[in-house]
Amino acid sequence: MLKYIFREVSRGFSPGLRRFSDVKVTENVAESPAFPHLIEQASLYLHWPYCLRRCTYCNFNKYIPKEDNEDIMVKCLQRETETLLQLSQVSCITSVFFGGGTPSLAHPSTIAKILETVSNQVYLSDEAEVTLEVNPTPVGMSKLKDFHFAGVNRFSIGVQSLQDEHLKSLGRDHSSLEALQTLEEARRLCPGGVSVDIMFGRPEQTIESWSNELSEMLRVCDDHVSLYQLTLERGTQLFKQVHCGQVTMPTEEMTAEMYRCARKTLQQHGFQQYEVSNFAKNNSQSRHNLSYWKGKQYIGVGPGAHGRFVPLGEGGAAREARTQTLEPDVWIREVQQRGHGTRRRIQLGHLELLEEVLVMGMRMTKGINHKHWELFNPELGLHEIFGASPVVQELLQSGQLILDDRGLRCSWDGLALLDSILPILLLELDKQSFPKAAS
């Protein structure tokens, strides 16, 4: 049941860093003529696979380039974008996200060319959210103005820490001062359109130092903050350092307290939590990420990118989970040969679709309302599936879970325990007689 649910998606979720309850999935839904917008629109994720070096905690799909092949890369990104847009037959792209890797290493003209390719294929509104992840180095900062001119209207700044000794131990190639300078320039260009990524649970980090760091960040950040919990990933340098006793990680109790501290502090500064790891004020939520959590299809372009969409162009009638070839050199050859580098495609059954809808929807503080659930499953409502379950009743009575006229959602306290709540809900869903994916 869970084999599809826990598959990663490459929006810009950085590996080795997880949002609390980081079950990385996107939605899939059996399309219905009654809801044509589900197949007419999509968001677009583009993966830039290159970095100048690998951070100690990172096991993501990123590579140190052996040579400058940006001309080839941009042509292939354009071609795969054209191919997959034609395959999906969507008429509108609602948002674009450039993730990586380090997409701020790309030339601004690369971003402009890709956006032009999208506009030539489908409708891309001037108001569409176009996000670029930025590594806050002097090189990254120097390109911000040109990125903005190319069409980027939202920056996601990978600050991660404001303590230089921690940045160095994590293998980051920027300083706290450079992060602050980059943040200032990004806010000047896109006021209200800058997100700050910051990490907790770092080696040697204390609750007190985390609280002080949050206060410092909130004096300079814009209207959106994303929290990441650092997790150990096998094969990384940090994993080896911890297991050799060279560095010490905070305990689970400490990281849980850091999360509670951050939620409280952000709320006191006017930030509203709208997802388990995301906070915004002045209506500055990430529309691109909300499209994942709200159950809209998306197209993934680039090495290792993931996508979920209906391949109408070849007669498909249900959404597929698609994964692009990981290795950039191999991906480039495949795109040159056949127009895309799709390595794996799986048509999901109704149960798998509902599992993803449940997992993604429960990440949001608003949870899943009844109308939203009905889009995916008009036969059985939330009350019918979960209301009679004794174990779910325990969660309701404890106040961790809420099931009412609005829908199903976690309480304030329950959201911090989402990792333990989701398996219970998924097991209840699995008891229903839904068609499963073909093996």
Side-chain angles (χ1 to χ4, degrees):
M1 175 186 68
L2 301 182
K3 62 181 178 179
Y4 300 111
I5 290 298
F6 294 98
R7 186 175 295 125
E8 290 188 359
V9 257
S10 50
R11 140 253 162 247
F13 293 125
S14 300
L17 308 170
R18 67 166 184 152
R19 301 170 191 268
F20 234 67
S21 183
D22 198 3
V23 186
K24 301 188 187 109
V25 298
T26 58
E27 58 69 51
N28 286 296
V29 59
E31 263 58 40
S32 166
F35 306 105
H37 63 280
L38 291 174
I39 54 175
E40 291 177 354
Q41 299 180 350
S43 55
L44 178 66
Y45 173 80
L46 293 110
H47 188 71
W48 184 262
Y50 299 123
C51 287
L52 291 180
R53 65 184 189 183
R54 183 175 290 275
C55 298
T56 63
Y57 53 83
C58 182
N59 73 338
F60 202 37
N61 185 43
K62 57 176 62 175
Y63 302 84
I64 311 301
K66 301 175 183 177
E67 57 185 357
D68 183 5
N69 68 342
E70 185 160 353
D71 287 344
I72 297 174
M73 176 59 68
V74 66
K75 289 177 182 177
C76 288
L77 287 171
Q78 287 178 287
R79 187 173 180 194
E80 186 169 71
T81 297
E82 290 176 346
T83 300
L84 297 185
L85 284 175
Q86 291 168 5
L87 184 62
S88 71
Q89 292 192 1
V90 297
S91 59
C92 175
I93 289 295
T94 56
S95 62
V96 182
F97 195 106
F98 293 90
T102 308
S104 55
L105 289 175
H107 195 278
S109 64
T110 291
I111 305 302
K113 289 174 182 177
I114 294 171
L115 292 176
E116 183 180 8
T117 297
V118 177
S119 296
N120 288 339
Q121 294 288 317
V122 297
Y123 178 67
L124 180 65
S125 168
D126 291 339
E127 303 302 316
E129 182 184 86
V130 180
T131 306
L132 179 81
E133 287 185 333
V134 176
N135 195 24
T137 62
V139 172
M141 185 177 70
S142 69
K143 297 180 181 180
L144 290 179
K145 185 176 180 180
D146 289 334
F147 282 133
H148 184 50
F149 184 76
V152 174
N153 54 29
R154 186 180 179 95
F155 292 109
S156 179
I157 311 294
V159 173
Q160 312 308 358
S161 172
L162 291 176
Q163 297 187 29
D164 286 333
E165 64 274 18
H166 285 192
L167 290 170
K168 184 177 180 179
S169 68
L170 294 172
R172 301 293 295 178
D173 55 358
H174 70 272
S175 67
S176 58
L177 177 60
E178 290 166 348
L180 295 174
Q181 291 172 336
T182 303
L183 179 57
E184 181 181 6
E185 173 66 3
R187 292 185 65 185
R188 184 186 70 81
L189 294 167
C190 299
V194 180
S195 178
V196 170
D197 292 347
I198 190 162
M199 184 196 313
F200 67 97
R202 306 190 302 262
E204 318 300 337
Q205 190 179 30
T206 65
I207 295 172
E208 181 180 5
S209 67
W210 170 238
S211 178
N212 293 336
E213 192 171 5
L214 275 176
S215 298
E216 182 181 359
M217 181 200 68
L218 286 167
R219 287 195 292 268
V220 296
C221 73
D222 199 44
D223 292 345
H224 192 278
V225 174
S226 294
L227 296 179
Y228 292 86
Q229 180 185 339
L230 177 60
T231 56
L232 288 178
E233 302 289 347
R234 289 186 177 276
T236 64
Q237 183 180 343
L238 180 61
F239 184 89
K240 297 174 184 177
Q241 290 173 336
V242 171
H243 281 265
C244 289
Q246 296 177 8
V247 298
T248 303
M249 299 289 286
T251 65
E252 288 188 13
E253 292 76 13
M254 290 177 64
T255 55
E257 180 58 32
M258 289 177 187
Y259 180 64
R260 287 192 290 268
C261 170
R263 295 175 80 195
K264 182 178 179 180
T265 301
L266 286 162
Q267 185 181 51
Q268 291 172 343
H269 284 76
F271 285 83
Q272 297 297 314
Q273 185 174 17
Y274 68 99
E275 191 265 349
V276 70
S277 297
N278 286 276
F279 304 76
K281 59 183 179 180
N282 301 322
N283 296 315
S284 293
Q285 296 90 343
S286 168
R287 300 202 301 268
H288 182 85
N289 289 339
L290 278 170
S291 71
Y292 297 143
W293 301 319
K294 287 186 175 182
K296 299 178 182 180
Q297 64 177 359
Y298 78 101
I299 298 168
V301 171
H306 290 236
R308 298 290 199 276
F309 63 89
V310 181
L312 291 175
E314 58 182 25
R319 286 197 195 180
E320 293 181 348
R322 302 175 73 98
T323 307
Q324 308 310 102
T325 294
L326 290 173
E327 305 87 352
D329 292 345
V330 180
W331 173 84
I332 287 172
R333 289 199 300 270
E334 292 177 353
V335 173
Q336 290 173 333
Q337 291 169 2
R338 54 191 174 99
H340 66 89
T342 302
R343 177 60 60 90
R344 190 180 188 192
R345 48 189 294 191
I346 301 173
Q347 182 173 312
L348 303 184
H350 191 52
L351 174 61
E352 286 75 30
L353 307 184
L354 293 180
E355 287 174 340
E356 295 195 351
V357 171
L358 178 67
V359 170
M360 294 306 283
M362 292 302 294
R363 293 180 64 91
M364 297 184 291
T365 55
K366 292 183 178 180
I368 306 169
N369 65 45
H370 295 291
K371 185 176 180 181
H372 178 75
W373 183 259
E374 187 179 351
L375 289 175
F376 301 91
N377 191 58
E379 294 82 12
L380 283 177
L382 294 169
H383 281 294
E384 287 78 11
I385 296 173
F386 303 107
S389 164
V391 67
V392 172
Q393 282 297 323
E394 291 182 12
L395 294 173
L396 296 172
Q397 292 170 9
S398 70
Q400 297 175 15
L401 200 63
I402 301 170
L403 178 59
D404 57 15
D405 292 342
R406 289 170 53 188
L408 181 66
R409 62 193 180 279
C410 288
S411 65
W412 172 265
D413 292 330
L415 198 63
L417 303 171
L418 185 59
D419 282 336
S420 60
I421 292 174
L422 279 176
I424 296 172
L425 297 178
L426 287 165
L427 286 173
E428 291 303 317
L429 183 62
D430 195 40
K431 293 178 182 178
Q432 310 301 316
S433 299
F434 297 121
K436 298 186 179 182
S439 57

